[in-house]
């Protein structure tokens, strides 16, 4: 801002910005003038991408007489629906974000013979996010993936590739002093991940323990876009590309019991965490009505580097391997 004023460049909002009486009001105004939430959307893409990859781990079997039936997979057609709420605290010099989404997925898995299985799936997601400054983003995403599994005895290994493409409508209100305007834009993003998973089933009578570890390398991309807005607030946001490596150890504990002549029920609890090698993302932008060189700025947003994962659920598997999972 100082550089623009020194060059004699005046944008519509500047007089009201310079007249703000307190540091707190200035900070809030500057926050509303940035593409807030752009980097937080990376956390959203990684979270929903991991959820979709988990959906590919499908096709439970009853496995009568098989002591490792809990970890065994078969051949099936599957469908799942997931509702998700993501909350990010503001942290230091950041802005809080809340996101709600619905993810619908489905796919097939084929028995290739012996311990080998091949699966594929598609997904459609709708989400909406709100930033503390008032910015709003409504996003639709499509997901796709393929996975191959090796499952001899109590051992389970899988390798998969998943990816997604999203398009968003963005709305960023700016209000301080007597100034009021709204910037709008459309943006596109994409992500792809390569993932390896290993798990093992240990039996303790009617109970089991299943340690699991998941490794993933995710590439995140967002196209450049230019906002529309009055009063000089419109931003030209540059494209961004990031890579993130994650490791997710997890322990699942559960049991199995028969349900009359129907099949089996497997209640379970699980706990673990996800570690990311990168927790800071940068977004570069400039004011569309000013020189891109003079008005260029970069904001850095931090997300959680370690995320805890706890859950509970139940698998109900019929004798014909028709399965229902609630998690």
């Amino acid at each position: 801002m100082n550089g623009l004023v020194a060059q004699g460049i005046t944008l519509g909002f500047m007089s009201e910005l310079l007249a703000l009486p307190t540091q707190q009001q200035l900070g809030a105004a500057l926050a509303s003038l940035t593409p807030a939430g752009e980097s937080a959307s990376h956390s959203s893409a990684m979270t929903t991408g991991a959820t979709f990859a988990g959906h590919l781990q499908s096709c439970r079997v009853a496995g009568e007489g098989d002591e490792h039936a809990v970890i065994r997979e078969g051949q099936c057609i599957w469908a799942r629906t997931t509702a998700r709420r993501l909350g990010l605290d503001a942290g230091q010099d950041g802005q809080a974000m809340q996101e709600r989404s619905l993810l619908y997925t489905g796919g097939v898995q084929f028995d290739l013979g012996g311990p080998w299985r091949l699966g594929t799936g598609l997904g459609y997601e709708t989400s909406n996010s709100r930033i503390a400054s008032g910015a709003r983003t409504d996003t639709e995403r499509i997901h796709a993936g393929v996975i191959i599994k090796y499952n001899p005895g109590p051992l389970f290994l899988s390798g998969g590739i998943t990816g997604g493409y999203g398009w968003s409508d963005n709305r960023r209100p700016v209000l301080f002093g007597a100034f009021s305007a709204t910037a709008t834009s459309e943006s596109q993003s994409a992500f792809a991940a390569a993932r390896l998973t290993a798990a093992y089933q240990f039996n303790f009578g009617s109970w089991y323990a299943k340690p699991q570890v998941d490794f993933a390398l995710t590439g995140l991309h967002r196209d450049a876009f230019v906002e529309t807005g009055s009063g000089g607030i419109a931003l030209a946001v540059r494209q961004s590309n990031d890579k993130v490596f994650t490791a997710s150890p997890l322990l699942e504990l559960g049991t199995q019991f028969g349900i009359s002549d129907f099949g089996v029920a497997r209640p379970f609890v699980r706990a673990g965490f996800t570690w990311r090698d990168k927790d800071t993302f940068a977004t570069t932008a400039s004011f569309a009505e000013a020189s891109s060189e003079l008005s260029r700025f970069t904001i850095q947003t931090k997300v959680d580097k370690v995320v805890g994962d706890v859950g509970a659920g139940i698998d109900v598997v019929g004798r014909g391997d028709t399965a229902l999972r609630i998690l």
Side-chain angles (χ1 to χ4, degrees):
M1 294 297 181
N2 292 339
L4 290 176
V5 173
Q7 293 290 328
I9 298 174
T10 302
L11 299 174
F13 63 84
M14 282 187 172
S15 60
E16 288 294 331
L17 183 72
L18 294 173
L20 293 175
T22 69
Q23 195 75 9
Q24 183 179 10
Q25 288 175 299
L26 176 63
L30 291 176
S32 70
L33 289 168
T34 66
E38 281 301 306
S39 298
S41 68
H42 286 338
S43 183
S44 169
M46 287 187 289
T47 300
T48 192
T51 299
F52 174 74
H55 288 188
L56 293 176
Q57 308 284 7
S58 299
C59 297
R60 303 291 186 264
V61 297
E64 294 179 90
D66 185 348
E67 62 177 331
H68 305 302
V70 170
I71 205 169
R72 191 77 66 236
E73 294 207 3
Q75 178 169 283
C76 72
I77 299 173
W78 59 268
R80 292 183 69 171
T81 301
T82 300
R84 177 171 59 86
R85 180 181 181 276
L86 174 68
L88 296 177
D89 291 338
Q92 183 178 4
D93 299 327
Q95 293 197 64
M97 184 189 85
Q98 297 289 334
E99 182 193 40
R100 299 176 186 272
S101 74
L102 283 172
L103 173 61
Y104 308 94
T105 58
V108 296
Q109 181 165 294
F110 303 98
D111 185 343
L112 300 182
W116 294 96
R117 305 290 184 269
L118 177 67
T120 186
L122 294 172
Y124 171 74
E125 178 186 11
T126 62
S127 73
N128 59 77
S129 62
R130 303 292 183 270
I131 310 300
S133 64
R136 167 178 174 168
T137 298
D138 296 316
T139 300
E140 295 177 81
R141 291 189 186 101
I142 54 174
H143 298 256
V146 62
I147 189 170
I148 188 165
K149 306 174 183 179
Y150 178 68
N151 186 203
L155 176 66
F156 176 86
L157 299 173
S158 71
I161 297 175
T162 58
Y165 174 81
W167 54 99
S168 303
D169 291 322
N170 312 298
R171 180 179 177 85
R172 182 173 58 88
V174 178
L175 174 63
F176 52 81
F179 181 84
S180 177
T182 299
T184 60
S185 62
E186 296 180 354
S187 58
Q188 290 79 42
S189 62
F191 61 92
R195 192 176 302 270
L196 296 174
T197 301
Y200 198 91
Q201 179 185 338
F202 295 94
N203 292 325
F204 304 94
S206 62
W207 293 83
Y208 73 89
K210 187 176 73 171
Q212 176 178 306
V213 63
D214 182 275
F215 300 102
L217 180 63
T218 304
L220 302 157
H221 170 80
R222 181 191 37 74
D223 288 344
F225 64 93
V226 179
E227 294 178 323
T228 299
S230 61
I233 67 169
L235 296 172
V237 182
R238 299 195 171 193
Q239 73 171 21
S240 66
N241 294 283
D242 294 279
K243 292 181 181 179
V244 183
F245 174 77
T246 59
S248 305
L250 181 75
L251 177 63
E252 180 178 298
L253 302 174
T255 187
Q256 174 176 295
F257 55 86
I259 306 176
S260 185
D261 294 328
F262 176 78
V264 296
R266 297 175 183 143
F268 59 87
V269 294
R270 56 172 55 166
F273 64 89
T274 294
W275 171 84
R276 299 167 177 166
D277 72 334
K278 182 174 184 177
D279 63 351
T280 303
F281 300 96
T283 302
T284 299
S286 58
F287 288 99
E289 294 182 16
S291 165
S292 62
E293 294 302 317
L294 290 176
S295 68
R296 182 189 306 173
F297 62 91
T298 298
I299 61 170
Q300 292 188 332
T301 305
K302 294 195 69 172
V303 297
D304 298 314
K305 193 165 189 174
V306 178
V307 180
D309 179 17
V310 294
I314 186 169
D315 288 322
V316 180
V317 187
R319 295 190 181 279
D321 291 338
T322 299
L324 170 67
R325 162 165 282 204
I326 302 174
L327 173 61

